[in-house]
Amino acid sequence: MPIASHAAPAPEAASADPAASQPVYRFWSATFDNAHFYTANAAEALKLHTSDPNWKYEGQDFRVWPVSNGVCPAGTIAVHRFWSSAFESHFYTTSADEAAKVRSTDKNWSYEGTAFCSAPSAGAGTVPVFRFWSPNFRKHFYTANADEAQRLRSSDRNWNYEGIAMYAPASGPSVPDLRAPRSPVPGTWNCPAGFPVKGNRSSSGEWIYHVPGGQFYEATNPEECFATPEDARAAGYRASKR
């Protein structure tokens, strides 16, 4: 099992522009024995949310800078990603030494390259991302939520704290949550790609959602569009009876 090897760095402001950062989407799987999956790819996240029942979307977690043509932006460092078919989970590290050691000595992990990029050290405008390992689940877990990290450290014996995995930008442009409704395509009764569920507020005051293939789907002019029926129900809509 890889072990975090971060020493406490001297405070240093991240030089990369937080406005160029984006959120990481976090998923959890009971099927894969409490595995978590993290991706900064919005299309990948939406596909998991809408078409893979093995994964439950848990929201946006920490922020990162995207990789461009395999290169991290100036003022950031690579976050290396590994996959283990034995553990059915991913592992992330910013330590080049740790990544090299895992690649050369631990056959449980296959190197997948740079997943995204983080600040090189702690400093103004950054927050720590905490790393845990569970010998019971044989999984890693990462969170930038200090309260969640403290709760795990103090009350959940399944998880061993391994230190700070990386430093994330504390701010950046917001993007809609995957579960948030989208507006219909302007000038049409169509929903945007990835959000096919139509939410309609009827003249009688009922909030009803329609799914593709339903009797009234094509004839419905939606007020809101959702990625999944579950998202529509969470927003207060009920399913159409036909």
Side-chain angles (χ1 to χ4, degrees):
M1 176 194 70
I3 299 295
S5 58
H6 285 83
E12 178 182 321
S15 59
D17 185 1
S21 69
Q22 60 192 53
V24 167
Y25 302 92
R26 180 174 124 184
F27 293 82
W28 170 77
S29 174
T31 304
F32 299 130
D33 200 13
N34 284 298
H36 281 84
F37 176 68
Y38 305 82
T39 180
N41 186 312
E44 181 179 40
L46 183 60
K47 183 177 180 180
L48 277 182
H49 181 49
T50 57
S51 63
D52 193 333
N54 291 311
W55 294 98
K56 179 181 178 181
Y57 176 54
E58 292 193 321
Q60 298 173 11
D61 202 318
F62 51 94
R63 302 185 67 86
V64 296
W65 287 275
V67 180
S68 178
N69 296 320
V71 179
C72 284
T76 70
I77 58 174
V79 180
H80 305 280
R81 186 168 92 171
F82 293 80
W83 163 255
S84 172
S85 55
F87 301 149
E88 294 185 315
S89 68
H90 285 92
F91 160 63
Y92 302 85
T93 181
T94 60
S95 169
D97 290 341
E98 184 178 33
K101 182 177 180 180
V102 172
R103 294 179 71 177
S104 62
T105 65
D106 195 334
K107 295 181 180 180
N108 287 309
W109 297 96
S110 299
Y111 184 58
E112 293 189 324
T114 300
F116 32 72
C117 312
S118 73
S121 62
T126 69
V127 295
V129 178
F130 306 98
R131 175 173 139 184
F132 294 82
W133 166 257
S134 172
N136 295 331
F137 304 135
R138 301 199 304 174
K139 303 287 188 291
H140 284 95
F141 174 64
Y142 303 82
T143 179
N145 186 317
D147 291 338
E148 182 177 40
Q150 182 57 36
R151 186 167 60 251
L152 288 181
R153 295 177 71 176
S154 62
S155 61
D156 194 333
R157 295 182 179 179
N158 287 308
W159 295 98
N160 297 331
Y161 179 58
E162 291 193 324
I164 294 173
M166 66 191 83
Y167 293 94
S171 64
S174 61
V175 298
D177 189 272
L178 296 181
R179 292 169 296 207
R182 301 298 198 272
S183 298
V185 177
T188 75
W189 289 11
N190 300 325
C191 285
F195 296 83
V197 180
K198 292 183 175 182
N200 175 258
R201 300 169 188 177
S202 70
S203 57
S204 62
E206 290 188 280
W207 289 28
I208 302 172
Y209 72 81
H210 301 262
V211 298
Q215 182 176 351
F216 300 116
Y217 183 80
E218 296 298 334
T220 296
N221 184 10
E223 274 82 26
E224 300 178 304
C225 300
F226 297 89
T228 68
E230 290 77 15
D231 296 340
R233 288 196 292 272
Y237 291 84
R238 70 159 175 83
S240 173
K241 297 178 180 178
R242 289 184 284 179

PDB file of all heavy atoms in Angstrom, residues 117-151:
ATOM      1  N   CYS A 117      -4.004  18.553 -12.117  1.00  0.00           N
ATOM      2  CA  CYS A 117      -2.867  19.275 -11.552  1.00  0.00           C
ATOM      3  C   CYS A 117      -3.289  20.033 -10.293  1.00  0.00           C
ATOM      4  O   CYS A 117      -4.436  20.478 -10.175  1.00  0.00           O
ATOM      5  CB  CYS A 117      -2.307  20.267 -12.572  1.00  0.00           C
ATOM      6  SG  CYS A 117      -2.046  19.536 -14.214  1.00  0.00           S
ATOM      7  N   SER A 118      -2.344  20.169  -9.357  1.00  0.00           N
ATOM      8  CA  SER A 118      -2.647  20.851  -8.102  1.00  0.00           C
ATOM      9  C   SER A 118      -1.584  21.902  -7.816  1.00  0.00           C
ATOM     10  O   SER A 118      -0.562  21.984  -8.507  1.00  0.00           O
ATOM     11  CB  SER A 118      -2.713  19.844  -6.954  1.00  0.00           C
ATOM     12  OG  SER A 118      -1.412  19.387  -6.613  1.00  0.00           O
ATOM     13  N   ALA A 119      -1.816  22.689  -6.767  1.00  0.00           N
ATOM     14  CA  ALA A 119      -0.812  23.663  -6.345  1.00  0.00           C
ATOM     15  C   ALA A 119       0.420  22.927  -5.828  1.00  0.00           C
ATOM     16  O   ALA A 119       0.308  21.837  -5.268  1.00  0.00           O
ATOM     17  CB  ALA A 119      -1.384  24.570  -5.257  1.00  0.00           C
ATOM     18  N   PRO A 120       1.606  23.496  -5.984  1.00  0.00           N
ATOM     19  CA  PRO A 120       2.822  22.800  -5.570  1.00  0.00           C
ATOM     20  C   PRO A 120       3.017  22.756  -4.067  1.00  0.00           C
ATOM     21  O   PRO A 120       3.786  21.932  -3.562  1.00  0.00           O
ATOM     22  CB  PRO A 120       3.933  23.605  -6.246  1.00  0.00           C
ATOM     23  CG  PRO A 120       3.356  24.969  -6.421  1.00  0.00           C
ATOM     24  CD  PRO A 120       1.897  24.763  -6.688  1.00  0.00           C
ATOM     25  N   SER A 121       2.334  23.633  -3.330  1.00  0.00           N
ATOM     26  CA  SER A 121       2.519  23.686  -1.880  1.00  0.00           C
ATOM     27  C   SER A 121       1.370  24.449  -1.262  1.00  0.00           C
ATOM     28  O   SER A 121       0.538  25.037  -1.960  1.00  0.00           O
ATOM     29  CB  SER A 121       3.857  24.361  -1.529  1.00  0.00           C
ATOM     30  OG  SER A 121       3.877  25.701  -2.001  1.00  0.00           O
ATOM     31  N   ALA A 122       1.335  24.462   0.062  1.00  0.00           N
ATOM     32  CA  ALA A 122       0.332  25.243   0.766  1.00  0.00           C
ATOM     33  C   ALA A 122       0.604  26.724   0.577  1.00  0.00           C
ATOM     34  O   ALA A 122       1.742  27.151   0.391  1.00  0.00           O
ATOM     35  CB  ALA A 122       0.356  24.902   2.261  1.00  0.00           C
ATOM     36  N   GLY A 123      -0.416  27.516   0.636  1.00  0.00           N
ATOM     37  CA  GLY A 123      -0.236  28.960   0.500  1.00  0.00           C
ATOM     38  C   GLY A 123      -1.568  29.658   0.439  1.00  0.00           C
ATOM     39  O   GLY A 123      -2.632  29.029   0.502  1.00  0.00           O
ATOM     40  N   ALA A 124      -1.530  30.957   0.308  1.00  0.00           N
ATOM     41  CA  ALA A 124      -2.760  31.727   0.197  1.00  0.00           C
ATOM     42  C   ALA A 124      -3.560  31.245  -1.008  1.00  0.00           C
ATOM     43  O   ALA A 124      -3.010  31.025  -2.083  1.00  0.00           O
ATOM     44  CB  ALA A 124      -2.439  33.211   0.059  1.00  0.00           C
ATOM     45  N   GLY A 125      -4.843  31.038  -0.811  1.00  0.00           N
ATOM     46  CA  GLY A 125      -5.690  30.619  -1.912  1.00  0.00           C
ATOM     47  C   GLY A 125      -5.716  29.130  -2.151  1.00  0.00           C
ATOM     48  O   GLY A 125      -6.211  28.684  -3.197  1.00  0.00           O
ATOM     49  N   THR A 126      -5.168  28.325  -1.214  1.00  0.00           N
ATOM     50  CA  THR A 126      -5.216  26.870  -1.369  1.00  0.00           C
ATOM     51  C   THR A 126      -5.847  26.234  -0.138  1.00  0.00           C
ATOM     52  O   THR A 126      -5.872  26.825   0.941  1.00  0.00           O
ATOM     53  CB  THR A 126      -3.817  26.254  -1.569  1.00  0.00           C
ATOM     54  OG1 THR A 126      -3.071  26.368  -0.353  1.00  0.00           O
ATOM     55  CG2 THR A 126      -3.074  26.930  -2.698  1.00  0.00           C
ATOM     56  N   VAL A 127      -6.347  25.023  -0.321  1.00  0.00           N
ATOM     57  CA  VAL A 127      -6.866  24.217   0.784  1.00  0.00           C
ATOM     58  C   VAL A 127      -6.264  22.822   0.667  1.00  0.00           C
ATOM     59  O   VAL A 127      -5.992  22.336  -0.433  1.00  0.00           O
ATOM     60  CB  VAL A 127      -8.402  24.126   0.758  1.00  0.00           C
ATOM     61  CG1 VAL A 127      -9.042  25.479   0.998  1.00  0.00           C
ATOM     62  CG2 VAL A 127      -8.894  23.536  -0.560  1.00  0.00           C
ATOM     63  N   PRO A 128      -6.017  22.161   1.803  1.00  0.00           N
ATOM     64  CA  PRO A 128      -5.473  20.805   1.742  1.00  0.00           C
ATOM     65  C   PRO A 128      -6.535  19.782   1.361  1.00  0.00           C
ATOM     66  O   PRO A 128      -7.714  19.919   1.700  1.00  0.00           O
ATOM     67  CB  PRO A 128      -4.976  20.567   3.169  1.00  0.00           C
ATOM     68  CG  PRO A 128      -5.847  21.437   4.016  1.00  0.00           C
ATOM     69  CD  PRO A 128      -6.149  22.650   3.188  1.00  0.00           C
ATOM     70  N   VAL A 129      -6.096  18.762   0.643  1.00  0.00           N
ATOM     71  CA  VAL A 129      -6.935  17.599   0.348  1.00  0.00           C
ATOM     72  C   VAL A 129      -6.364  16.444   1.161  1.00  0.00           C
ATOM     73  O   VAL A 129      -5.198  16.078   0.991  1.00  0.00           O
ATOM     74  CB  VAL A 129      -6.927  17.265  -1.152  1.00  0.00           C
ATOM     75  CG1 VAL A 129      -7.769  16.016  -1.427  1.00  0.00           C
ATOM     76  CG2 VAL A 129      -7.445  18.447  -1.964  1.00  0.00           C
ATOM     77  N   PHE A 130      -7.163  15.887   2.064  1.00  0.00           N
ATOM     78  CA  PHE A 130      -6.699  14.873   3.004  1.00  0.00           C
ATOM     79  C   PHE A 130      -6.835  13.479   2.407  1.00  0.00           C
ATOM     80  O   PHE A 130      -7.781  13.180   1.686  1.00  0.00           O
ATOM     81  CB  PHE A 130      -7.511  14.968   4.300  1.00  0.00           C
ATOM     82  CG  PHE A 130      -7.502  16.342   4.909  1.00  0.00           C
ATOM     83  CD1 PHE A 130      -8.560  17.217   4.687  1.00  0.00           C
ATOM     84  CD2 PHE A 130      -6.438  16.782   5.678  1.00  0.00           C
ATOM     85  CE1 PHE A 130      -8.568  18.495   5.239  1.00  0.00           C
ATOM     86  CE2 PHE A 130      -6.420  18.055   6.227  1.00  0.00           C
ATOM     87  CZ  PHE A 130      -7.489  18.916   6.007  1.00  0.00           C
ATOM     88  N   ARG A 131      -5.874  12.615   2.761  1.00  0.00           N
ATOM     89  CA  ARG A 131      -5.818  11.267   2.191  1.00  0.00           C
ATOM     90  C   ARG A 131      -5.941  10.204   3.279  1.00  0.00           C
ATOM     91  O   ARG A 131      -5.305  10.299   4.334  1.00  0.00           O
ATOM     92  CB  ARG A 131      -4.509  11.108   1.430  1.00  0.00           C
ATOM     93  CG  ARG A 131      -4.245   9.706   0.886  1.00  0.00           C
ATOM     94  CD  ARG A 131      -3.009   9.727   0.016  1.00  0.00           C
ATOM     95  NE  ARG A 131      -2.154   8.576   0.194  1.00  0.00           N
ATOM     96  CZ  ARG A 131      -0.980   8.406  -0.397  1.00  0.00           C
ATOM     97  NH1 ARG A 131      -0.518   9.340  -1.221  1.00  0.00           N
ATOM     98  NH2 ARG A 131      -0.253   7.331  -0.170  1.00  0.00           N
ATOM     99  N   PHE A 132      -6.767   9.202   2.989  1.00  0.00           N
ATOM    100  CA  PHE A 132      -6.994   8.083   3.908  1.00  0.00           C
ATOM    101  C   PHE A 132      -6.822   6.764   3.177  1.00  0.00           C
ATOM    102  O   PHE A 132      -6.956   6.680   1.956  1.00  0.00           O
ATOM    103  CB  PHE A 132      -8.428   8.142   4.478  1.00  0.00           C
ATOM    104  CG  PHE A 132      -8.696   9.324   5.365  1.00  0.00           C
ATOM    105  CD1 PHE A 132      -9.017  10.569   4.825  1.00  0.00           C
ATOM    106  CD2 PHE A 132      -8.634   9.206   6.749  1.00  0.00           C
ATOM    107  CE1 PHE A 132      -9.269  11.661   5.638  1.00  0.00           C
ATOM    108  CE2 PHE A 132      -8.884  10.292   7.576  1.00  0.00           C
ATOM    109  CZ  PHE A 132      -9.199  11.515   7.022  1.00  0.00           C
ATOM    110  N   TRP A 133      -6.515   5.736   3.944  1.00  0.00           N
ATOM    111  CA  TRP A 133      -6.428   4.359   3.424  1.00  0.00           C
ATOM    112  C   TRP A 133      -7.204   3.442   4.361  1.00  0.00           C
ATOM    113  O   TRP A 133      -7.122   3.573   5.587  1.00  0.00           O
ATOM    114  CB  TRP A 133      -4.981   3.892   3.330  1.00  0.00           C
ATOM    115  CG  TRP A 133      -4.837   2.403   3.135  1.00  0.00           C
ATOM    116  CD1 TRP A 133      -4.491   1.475   4.069  1.00  0.00           C
ATOM    117  CD2 TRP A 133      -5.046   1.680   1.918  1.00  0.00           C
ATOM    118  NE1 TRP A 133      -4.465   0.223   3.522  1.00  0.00           N
ATOM    119  CE2 TRP A 133      -4.807   0.306   2.194  1.00  0.00           C
ATOM    120  CE3 TRP A 133      -5.414   2.049   0.615  1.00  0.00           C
ATOM    121  CZ2 TRP A 133      -4.920  -0.681   1.221  1.00  0.00           C
ATOM    122  CZ3 TRP A 133      -5.527   1.050  -0.345  1.00  0.00           C
ATOM    123  CH2 TRP A 133      -5.280  -0.281  -0.053  1.00  0.00           C
ATOM    124  N   SER A 134      -7.971   2.530   3.779  1.00  0.00           N
ATOM    125  CA  SER A 134      -8.700   1.546   4.575  1.00  0.00           C
ATOM    126  C   SER A 134      -8.141   0.158   4.321  1.00  0.00           C
ATOM    127  O   SER A 134      -8.283  -0.377   3.208  1.00  0.00           O
ATOM    128  CB  SER A 134     -10.191   1.551   4.235  1.00  0.00           C
ATOM    129  OG  SER A 134     -10.845   0.472   4.877  1.00  0.00           O
ATOM    130  N   PRO A 135      -7.498  -0.470   5.320  1.00  0.00           N
ATOM    131  CA  PRO A 135      -7.029  -1.845   5.139  1.00  0.00           C
ATOM    132  C   PRO A 135      -8.184  -2.830   5.040  1.00  0.00           C
ATOM    133  O   PRO A 135      -8.024  -3.920   4.488  1.00  0.00           O
ATOM    134  CB  PRO A 135      -6.186  -2.099   6.397  1.00  0.00           C
ATOM    135  CG  PRO A 135      -6.677  -1.122   7.405  1.00  0.00           C
ATOM    136  CD  PRO A 135      -7.123   0.087   6.634  1.00  0.00           C
ATOM    137  N   ASN A 136      -9.361  -2.443   5.554  1.00  0.00           N
ATOM    138  CA  ASN A 136     -10.529  -3.322   5.458  1.00  0.00           C
ATOM    139  C   ASN A 136     -11.115  -3.320   4.052  1.00  0.00           C
ATOM    140  O   ASN A 136     -11.406  -4.373   3.477  1.00  0.00           O
ATOM    141  CB  ASN A 136     -11.604  -2.885   6.459  1.00  0.00           C
ATOM    142  CG  ASN A 136     -11.164  -3.039   7.892  1.00  0.00           C
ATOM    143  OD1 ASN A 136     -10.351  -3.904   8.211  1.00  0.00           O
ATOM    144  ND2 ASN A 136     -11.681  -2.204   8.776  1.00  0.00           N
ATOM    145  N   PHE A 137     -11.286  -2.119   3.493  1.00  0.00           N
ATOM    146  CA  PHE A 137     -11.845  -2.007   2.148  1.00  0.00           C
ATOM    147  C   PHE A 137     -10.773  -2.082   1.066  1.00  0.00           C
ATOM    148  O   PHE A 137     -11.086  -2.279  -0.093  1.00  0.00           O
ATOM    149  CB  PHE A 137     -12.602  -0.685   2.008  1.00  0.00           C
ATOM    150  CG  PHE A 137     -13.687  -0.473   3.014  1.00  0.00           C
ATOM    151  CD1 PHE A 137     -13.827   0.747   3.656  1.00  0.00           C
ATOM    152  CD2 PHE A 137     -14.569  -1.494   3.341  1.00  0.00           C
ATOM    153  CE1 PHE A 137     -14.826   0.953   4.593  1.00  0.00           C
ATOM    154  CE2 PHE A 137     -15.577  -1.298   4.279  1.00  0.00           C
ATOM    155  CZ  PHE A 137     -15.707  -0.071   4.909  1.00  0.00           C
ATOM    156  N   ARG A 138      -9.518  -1.864   1.464  1.00  0.00           N
ATOM    157  CA  ARG A 138      -8.389  -1.798   0.529  1.00  0.00           C
ATOM    158  C   ARG A 138      -8.637  -0.698  -0.509  1.00  0.00           C
ATOM    159  O   ARG A 138      -8.532  -0.886  -1.705  1.00  0.00           O
ATOM    160  CB  ARG A 138      -8.130  -3.147  -0.131  1.00  0.00           C
ATOM    161  CG  ARG A 138      -7.823  -4.263   0.847  1.00  0.00           C
ATOM    162  CD  ARG A 138      -7.146  -5.444   0.190  1.00  0.00           C
ATOM    163  NE  ARG A 138      -7.925  -5.971  -0.920  1.00  0.00           N
ATOM    164  CZ  ARG A 138      -7.491  -6.931  -1.730  1.00  0.00           C
ATOM    165  NH1 ARG A 138      -6.289  -7.464  -1.553  1.00  0.00           N
ATOM    166  NH2 ARG A 138      -8.250  -7.365  -2.712  1.00  0.00           N
ATOM    167  N   LYS A 139      -8.959   0.466   0.012  1.00  0.00           N
ATOM    168  CA  LYS A 139      -9.297   1.616  -0.819  1.00  0.00           C
ATOM    169  C   LYS A 139      -8.672   2.883  -0.229  1.00  0.00           C
ATOM    170  O   LYS A 139      -8.456   2.993   0.977  1.00  0.00           O
ATOM    171  CB  LYS A 139     -10.817   1.826  -0.876  1.00  0.00           C
ATOM    172  CG  LYS A 139     -11.636   0.645  -1.370  1.00  0.00           C
ATOM    173  CD  LYS A 139     -11.491   0.433  -2.854  1.00  0.00           C
ATOM    174  CE  LYS A 139     -12.466  -0.614  -3.380  1.00  0.00           C
ATOM    175  NZ  LYS A 139     -12.168  -1.984  -2.926  1.00  0.00           N
ATOM    176  N   HIS A 140      -8.431   3.860  -1.107  1.00  0.00           N
ATOM    177  CA  HIS A 140      -8.063   5.201  -0.688  1.00  0.00           C
ATOM    178  C   HIS A 140      -9.290   6.101  -0.729  1.00  0.00           C
ATOM    179  O   HIS A 140     -10.238   5.848  -1.469  1.00  0.00           O
ATOM    180  CB  HIS A 140      -6.985   5.793  -1.607  1.00  0.00           C
ATOM    181  CG  HIS A 140      -5.617   5.250  -1.362  1.00  0.00           C
ATOM    182  ND1 HIS A 140      -5.102   4.196  -2.085  1.00  0.00           N
ATOM    183  CD2 HIS A 140      -4.661   5.609  -0.469  1.00  0.00           C
ATOM    184  CE1 HIS A 140      -3.875   3.933  -1.653  1.00  0.00           C
ATOM    185  NE2 HIS A 140      -3.583   4.774  -0.680  1.00  0.00           N
ATOM    186  N   PHE A 141      -9.224   7.153   0.062  1.00  0.00           N
ATOM    187  CA  PHE A 141     -10.293   8.145   0.074  1.00  0.00           C
ATOM    188  C   PHE A 141      -9.656   9.524   0.204  1.00  0.00           C
ATOM    189  O   PHE A 141      -8.688   9.702   0.958  1.00  0.00           O
ATOM    190  CB  PHE A 141     -11.248   7.898   1.243  1.00  0.00           C
ATOM    191  CG  PHE A 141     -12.291   8.963   1.419  1.00  0.00           C
ATOM    192  CD1 PHE A 141     -13.247   9.192   0.446  1.00  0.00           C
ATOM    193  CD2 PHE A 141     -12.302   9.773   2.558  1.00  0.00           C
ATOM    194  CE1 PHE A 141     -14.199  10.188   0.597  1.00  0.00           C
ATOM    195  CE2 PHE A 141     -13.245  10.770   2.715  1.00  0.00           C
ATOM    196  CZ  PHE A 141     -14.205  10.968   1.728  1.00  0.00           C
ATOM    197  N   TYR A 142     -10.199  10.488  -0.532  1.00  0.00           N
ATOM    198  CA  TYR A 142      -9.667  11.850  -0.532  1.00  0.00           C
ATOM    199  C   TYR A 142     -10.808  12.829  -0.278  1.00  0.00           C
ATOM    200  O   TYR A 142     -11.909  12.668  -0.814  1.00  0.00           O
ATOM    201  CB  TYR A 142      -9.021  12.178  -1.891  1.00  0.00           C
ATOM    202  CG  TYR A 142      -7.926  11.217  -2.286  1.00  0.00           C
ATOM    203  CD1 TYR A 142      -8.227   9.991  -2.879  1.00  0.00           C
ATOM    204  CD2 TYR A 142      -6.587  11.519  -2.069  1.00  0.00           C
ATOM    205  CE1 TYR A 142      -7.229   9.086  -3.227  1.00  0.00           C
ATOM    206  CE2 TYR A 142      -5.578  10.637  -2.425  1.00  0.00           C
ATOM    207  CZ  TYR A 142      -5.909   9.418  -3.001  1.00  0.00           C
ATOM    208  OH  TYR A 142      -4.918   8.542  -3.342  1.00  0.00           O
ATOM    209  N   THR A 143     -10.554  13.840   0.513  1.00  0.00           N
ATOM    210  CA  THR A 143     -11.561  14.860   0.757  1.00  0.00           C
ATOM    211  C   THR A 143     -10.892  16.181   1.126  1.00  0.00           C
ATOM    212  O   THR A 143      -9.872  16.205   1.816  1.00  0.00           O
ATOM    213  CB  THR A 143     -12.532  14.447   1.875  1.00  0.00           C
ATOM    214  OG1 THR A 143     -13.486  15.502   2.079  1.00  0.00           O
ATOM    215  CG2 THR A 143     -11.814  14.180   3.197  1.00  0.00           C
ATOM    216  N   ALA A 144     -11.490  17.267   0.649  1.00  0.00           N
ATOM    217  CA  ALA A 144     -11.048  18.602   1.036  1.00  0.00           C
ATOM    218  C   ALA A 144     -11.928  19.162   2.151  1.00  0.00           C
ATOM    219  O   ALA A 144     -11.702  20.282   2.607  1.00  0.00           O
ATOM    220  CB  ALA A 144     -11.079  19.538  -0.172  1.00  0.00           C
ATOM    221  N   ASN A 145     -12.897  18.379   2.577  1.00  0.00           N
ATOM    222  CA  ASN A 145     -13.799  18.797   3.644  1.00  0.00           C
ATOM    223  C   ASN A 145     -13.137  18.513   4.986  1.00  0.00           C
ATOM    224  O   ASN A 145     -13.030  17.363   5.406  1.00  0.00           O
ATOM    225  CB  ASN A 145     -15.124  18.051   3.509  1.00  0.00           C
ATOM    226  CG  ASN A 145     -16.169  18.522   4.499  1.00  0.00           C
ATOM    227  OD1 ASN A 145     -15.880  18.739   5.677  1.00  0.00           O
ATOM    228  ND2 ASN A 145     -17.400  18.662   4.034  1.00  0.00           N
ATOM    229  N   ALA A 146     -12.693  19.570   5.674  1.00  0.00           N
ATOM    230  CA  ALA A 146     -11.956  19.388   6.926  1.00  0.00           C
ATOM    231  C   ALA A 146     -12.811  18.708   7.992  1.00  0.00           C
ATOM    232  O   ALA A 146     -12.303  17.900   8.786  1.00  0.00           O
ATOM    233  CB  ALA A 146     -11.455  20.730   7.436  1.00  0.00           C
ATOM    234  N   ASP A 147     -14.109  19.014   8.025  1.00  0.00           N
ATOM    235  CA  ASP A 147     -14.994  18.391   9.007  1.00  0.00           C
ATOM    236  C   ASP A 147     -15.141  16.895   8.730  1.00  0.00           C
ATOM    237  O   ASP A 147     -15.124  16.078   9.652  1.00  0.00           O
ATOM    238  CB  ASP A 147     -16.371  19.055   8.988  1.00  0.00           C
ATOM    239  CG  ASP A 147     -16.345  20.478   9.536  1.00  0.00           C
ATOM    240  OD1 ASP A 147     -15.410  20.793  10.294  1.00  0.00           O
ATOM    241  OD2 ASP A 147     -17.260  21.255   9.216  1.00  0.00           O
ATOM    242  N   GLU A 148     -15.273  16.554   7.460  1.00  0.00           N
ATOM    243  CA  GLU A 148     -15.389  15.141   7.094  1.00  0.00           C
ATOM    244  C   GLU A 148     -14.098  14.400   7.452  1.00  0.00           C
ATOM    245  O   GLU A 148     -14.137  13.286   7.995  1.00  0.00           O
ATOM    246  CB  GLU A 148     -15.683  15.005   5.602  1.00  0.00           C
ATOM    247  CG  GLU A 148     -15.865  13.574   5.129  1.00  0.00           C
ATOM    248  CD  GLU A 148     -16.224  13.492   3.652  1.00  0.00           C
ATOM    249  OE1 GLU A 148     -15.647  14.284   2.851  1.00  0.00           O
ATOM    250  OE2 GLU A 148     -17.060  12.658   3.299  1.00  0.00           O
ATOM    251  N   ALA A 149     -12.964  15.012   7.154  1.00  0.00           N
ATOM    252  CA  ALA A 149     -11.674  14.387   7.473  1.00  0.00           C
ATOM    253  C   ALA A 149     -11.521  14.179   8.973  1.00  0.00           C
ATOM    254  O   ALA A 149     -11.070  13.115   9.426  1.00  0.00           O
ATOM    255  CB  ALA A 149     -10.533  15.250   6.931  1.00  0.00           C
ATOM    256  N   GLN A 150     -11.899  15.188   9.752  1.00  0.00           N
ATOM    257  CA  GLN A 150     -11.776  15.062  11.212  1.00  0.00           C
ATOM    258  C   GLN A 150     -12.708  13.990  11.759  1.00  0.00           C
ATOM    259  O   GLN A 150     -12.351  13.248  12.678  1.00  0.00           O
ATOM    260  CB  GLN A 150     -12.071  16.410  11.872  1.00  0.00           C
ATOM    261  CG  GLN A 150     -11.931  16.407  13.383  1.00  0.00           C
ATOM    262  CD  GLN A 150     -10.561  15.973  13.848  1.00  0.00           C
ATOM    263  OE1 GLN A 150      -9.548  16.285  13.213  1.00  0.00           O
ATOM    264  NE2 GLN A 150     -10.486  15.236  14.948  1.00  0.00           N
ATOM    265  N   ARG A 151     -13.899  13.892  11.189  1.00  0.00           N
ATOM    266  CA  ARG A 151     -14.856  12.866  11.623  1.00  0.00           C
ATOM    267  C   ARG A 151     -14.299  11.463  11.361  1.00  0.00           C
ATOM    268  O   ARG A 151     -14.426  10.563  12.211  1.00  0.00           O
ATOM    269  CB  ARG A 151     -16.180  13.067  10.902  1.00  0.00           C
ATOM    270  CG  ARG A 151     -17.301  12.146  11.391  1.00  0.00           C
ATOM    271  CD  ARG A 151     -18.646  12.616  10.868  1.00  0.00           C
ATOM    272  NE  ARG A 151     -18.732  12.646   9.418  1.00  0.00           N
ATOM    273  CZ  ARG A 151     -18.770  13.748   8.690  1.00  0.00           C
ATOM    274  NH1 ARG A 151     -18.710  14.929   9.272  1.00  0.00           N
ATOM    275  NH2 ARG A 151     -18.864  13.691   7.379  1.00  0.00           N
TER     276      ARG A 151
END
